[in-house]
Amino acid sequence: MPAKEKQSIAIKAAEPAYLPQLTLDCIVLGFHQDQLRVLLLRWKGTQEWSLPGGPIQQSESVNAAAYRILKERTGLDQIYLQQFQVFGDLVRYNLPEIKTKLQHLINPELWYNRAVSIGYYALVEYSKVNPTPDLFTDECQWWEIKEIPNLLFDHNQIVEAALQALRQQINWQPIGLNLLPEQFTMPELQRLYEAILNRPLDPRNFHRKILSLNILERFPERRKGGAFKSPYLYRFNQEKYEAVLQEGNLSFL
């Protein structure tokens, strides 16, 4: 075998299993009891929390890595993902502090001096998620978005960046289609958008504008059991919803 081929094989054999210094951070968003929630992980033997994420295998695309990681954490095969930002500042967080806090789990010498992270947000139906920790964590659970603790790394800033991206993209992403159950009421849909936007919306204007898009189907039955007048149940017409998204004409706020 020629020397060049031997050298090539040796280099390939020594190639790491994962892309060095490149990771993913995933903001998994769900909506439950009128609250926007985010999925967080608690590291083993600590009270330290962070976002789900991980490295990218040499043999997979970046998107495939995100789907793999999120299936491992949520149990879902079909999940709506949107890449929203790359985080690549020279200094993103206090690395010596991270090494100290997690030294019982990860050899401090194995941390890269610098890492670049690709941010994804995922929109999921809360009731379908099976929160599952990974090898480094004891717990995986939902947190109300306004009550999340101080997270490891720069993950608080990543959560805020994801929310800003979601608000900017609210008129051209299928947000309600992914965050709500199949049947919902108009007040529930309004509260979802209020939770994302972090501000109240006028009910009559909201009702009128979203119905004008012709993407909802109303059921003859109403939601029972409330203290007030029982509201009608609706569902999205997915075909019409996707057509409106393609046209870029989902603006109703």
Side-chain angles (χ1 to χ4, degrees):
M1 182 181 294
K4 285 187 177 180
E5 288 189 28
K6 289 182 178 179
Q7 184 181 19
S8 176
I9 290 173
I11 291 172
K12 187 173 183 180
E15 186 178 68
Y18 295 93
L19 296 177
Q21 294 180 272
L22 183 64
T23 62
L24 300 179
D25 286 310
C26 302
I27 298 85
V28 184
L29 296 171
F31 187 66
H32 182 63
Q33 295 180 340
D34 297 338
Q35 294 178 335
L36 192 63
R37 304 191 180 207
V38 62
L39 204 61
L40 298 178
L41 294 165
R42 182 175 61 80
W43 288 69
K44 285 182 181 292
T46 77
Q47 293 302 313
E48 302 289 346
W49 295 82
S50 71
L51 293 166
I56 302 160
Q57 296 173 4
Q58 294 280 2
S59 59
E60 64 186 351
S61 70
V62 174
N63 284 350
Y67 281 113
R68 170 181 56 79
I69 290 167
L70 288 173
K71 182 179 181 181
E72 292 169 354
R73 303 286 72 77
T74 67
L76 298 179
D77 285 311
Q78 301 295 324
I79 198 165
Y80 178 82
L81 272 178
Q82 177 69 34
Q83 187 183 128
F84 68 95
Q85 189 172 326
V86 174
F87 299 88
D89 286 350
L90 287 174
V91 179
R92 293 174 52 203
Y93 44 80
N94 188 330
L95 183 56
E97 181 182 57
I98 296 294
K99 289 180 177 181
T100 299
K101 287 183 175 181
L102 301 180
Q103 62 184 337
H104 63 296
L105 295 172
I106 301 173
N107 182 342
E109 295 181 1
L110 296 179
W111 291 96
Y112 293 116
N113 288 327
R114 182 188 179 196
V116 175
S117 179
I118 302 173
Y120 282 84
Y121 67 73
L123 307 179
V124 300
E125 186 181 331
Y126 181 92
S127 63
K128 294 182 178 180
V129 173
N130 178 29
T132 305
D134 60 24
L135 292 175
F136 294 100
T137 56
D138 281 328
E139 190 176 358
C140 181
Q141 75 170 40
W142 291 103
W143 283 73
E144 202 277 312
I145 201 78
K146 295 180 180 179
E147 297 178 357
I148 60 174
N150 289 324
L151 304 178
L152 289 175
F153 313 106
D154 53 350
H155 287 186
N156 288 90
Q157 293 93 322
I158 292 177
V159 170
E160 185 56 36
L163 289 175
Q164 290 293 338
L166 185 61
R167 289 164 186 156
Q168 292 168 1
Q169 298 169 6
I170 203 166
N171 287 327
W172 53 275
Q173 299 289 13
I175 290 167
L177 188 62
N178 291 280
L179 288 172
L180 290 172
E182 183 179 359
Q183 297 183 16
F184 52 86
T185 67
M186 191 65 68
E188 288 167 345
L189 180 60
Q190 178 179 331
R191 288 194 288 269
L192 167 63
Y193 278 88
E194 289 176 334
I196 293 170
L197 295 168
N198 196 30
R199 62 180 174 86
L201 300 172
D202 179 80
R204 285 181 292 185
N205 283 342
F206 180 86
H207 192 146
R208 175 177 54 81
K209 289 180 179 180
I210 197 165
L211 287 180
S212 70
L213 296 174
N214 196 31
I215 60 174
L216 296 180
E217 297 175 353
R218 195 179 80 177
F219 289 89
E221 61 266 28
R222 296 172 181 264
R223 173 67 54 80
K224 306 293 184 181
F228 303 99
K229 182 179 178 180
S230 300
Y232 280 107
L233 289 167
Y234 290 84
R235 71 177 175 188
F236 287 107
N237 182 311
Q238 189 163 352
E239 184 177 342
K240 291 182 178 179
Y241 199 149
E242 291 176 354
V244 172
L245 286 174
Q246 288 293 324
E247 296 168 2
N249 190 29
L250 192 60
S251 178
F252 62 92
L253 298 175

